[in-house]
Amino acid sequence: FAVPNVWRDRDETKLYARTVTSSSSAQLPKDAAEALAHGTARAEEAIDMAVAKSLHRSGRFYGLTLLKDAVSPKMVQLMRADSLKLHSQGRLTPSGDPDEPQLSEQYKKYLGSLPVLTILSPQQAADDGLLGLAYGGAFLSGLCAQLSELAGKRLVPGTLQLALYDGEGVAYQIHEDYVPKADYDPENLPEHHRESYKRRVTAILYLQDDWSEELGGAFRAHAVRPKTDTPKPEDVIEVMPEGGSLILFRSDMPHEVLPTYGQRFALSMWCHAA
Ligand SMILES: O=C(O)CCC(=O)C(=O)O
Ligand SMILES: [Fe+2]
């Protein structure tokens, strides 16, 4: 993701973090159109030049950026309610394929639990009356558009994913979201993975009401893939999945989710190279 030289400013800040203030959309949306419009407006408010620069700065953590209160507590609550609704309807599955059966108790007992997920679009969420997820999807799509504008290099909204780590120690081992095209056979992957080579920026919005350290589930960023099970402290940064927090990073950064002992929802967007 080439950026103008002026941004290569040797900023070694490990984690750029800030709290987003003021919301143009403090009111709950009254209909689907308003949910989409408010989500887009919030992206324009939250993603400014400082965020775009942070995402492209040099340094070891691939532009890792944390925006707290990226979304208001009210909207987080609405998104969480929508997410719980989809979960109760059995729409979240390990591969994201709605027809795939849920994990059996036997599988969980022997192989452990997995995160469950669904792939959605802001418009589909709006059509289904899920105003919270319509807002969240529009926010994350708007974020890609906003970064595209500020970076002068085209990015488009890619895959939007809702995932649930439903306690029981569910984790996601170290990986990169970007996978070079030569490294996989898309035919054998679920549809939403087939375009992983286009991923440039990962944005993850957390939807918990409140979260505490005993519940685990930290997002752990790695400056380098560790050679042993215990990475050096200077090589990792952990972020708690607090509701309303948004993390952004370049999609080739190694990262993982530590074992989770509470219900942990995350709405993720991969901004693709256009
Ligand atoms: O939920 C998170 O914090 C990260 C999830 C993740 O890495 C992924 O879905 O690729
Ligand atoms: Fe990931």
Side-chain angles (χ1 to χ4, degrees):
F1 187 35
V3 290
N5 270 339
V6 61
W7 287 1
R8 301 197 178 277
D9 55 3
R10 301 223 155 269
D11 182 347
E12 297 287 329
T13 314
K14 269 182 106 179
L15 175 70
Y16 172 89
R18 79 159 192 223
T19 300
V20 185
T21 48
S22 93
S23 172
S24 57
S25 45
Q27 301 298 325
L28 287 177
K30 62 175 180 340
D31 56 30
E34 207 170 89
L36 294 171
H38 284 182
T40 307
R42 185 60 177 166
E44 285 164 10
E45 202 167 41
I47 308 302
D48 60 10
M49 192 55 113
V51 173
K53 276 191 176 183
S54 164
L55 188 57
H56 297 104
R57 72 194 189 276
S58 57
R60 305 169 67 224
F61 285 93
Y62 299 75
L64 182 63
T65 300
L66 167 64
L67 298 184
K68 292 192 177 206
D69 296 338
V71 161
S72 73
K74 261 193 203 167
M75 290 311 301
V76 170
Q77 204 177 22
L78 199 60
M79 286 193 252
R80 192 176 161 75
D82 285 352
S83 305
L84 282 165
K85 192 161 151 189
L86 290 179
H87 180 44
S88 71
Q89 293 168 348
R91 306 253 295 269
L92 306 182
T93 62
S95 70
D97 173 355
D99 298 327
E100 184 187 6
Q102 300 292 317
L103 285 185
S104 67
E105 287 309 313
Q106 204 164 356
Y107 180 101
K108 288 188 194 173
K109 192 166 156 204
Y110 292 107
L111 296 169
S113 294
L114 296 171
V116 288
L117 55 106
T118 188
I119 304 303
L120 60 172
S121 78
Q123 189 60 55
Q124 190 59 52
D127 294 345
D128 291 348
L130 303 167
L131 300 198
L133 291 174
Y135 173 94
F139 170 68
L140 293 171
S141 300
L143 170 158
C144 298
Q146 191 70 0
L147 286 173
S148 182
E149 192 145 315
L150 295 169
K153 175 86 183 173
R154 272 177 55 71
L155 280 179
V156 292
T159 308
L160 176 66
Q161 168 189 291
L162 173 69
L164 167 62
Y165 292 67
D166 203 2
E168 301 182 322
V170 181
Y172 190 170
Q173 65 183 37
I174 301 180
H175 66 281
E176 294 89 19
D177 293 345
Y178 164 79
V179 180
K181 206 172 181 179
D183 285 10
Y184 66 89
D185 172 7
E187 302 303 308
N188 292 326
L189 290 171
E191 198 173 324
H192 60 275
H193 279 297
R194 285 184 202 166
E195 299 202 311
S196 307
Y197 68 94
K198 292 184 183 168
R199 296 172 175 178
R200 294 295 179 273
V201 171
T202 303
I204 308 174
L205 179 64
Y206 297 111
L207 308 181
Q208 304 6 294
D209 277 341
D210 68 298
W211 194 259
S212 58
E213 241 161 86
E214 322 82 81
L215 297 177
F219 171 87
R220 183 188 271 175
H222 294 264
V224 288
R225 267 190 180 254
K227 296 203 173 64
T228 64
D229 282 349
T230 40
K232 297 196 201 99
E234 66 269 27
D235 289 344
V236 298
I237 298 176
E238 288 175 13
V239 177
M240 294 300 278
E242 283 164 6
S245 283
L246 173 77
I247 54 170
L248 297 156
F249 54 92
R250 301 197 298 270
S251 300
D252 48 348
M253 181 183 78
H255 60 280
E256 65 183 311
V257 178
L258 299 183
T260 299
Y261 302 98
Q263 209 166 42
R264 178 191 190 275
F265 280 104
L267 188 65
S268 301
M269 166 62 80
W270 288 285
C271 304
H272 287 182

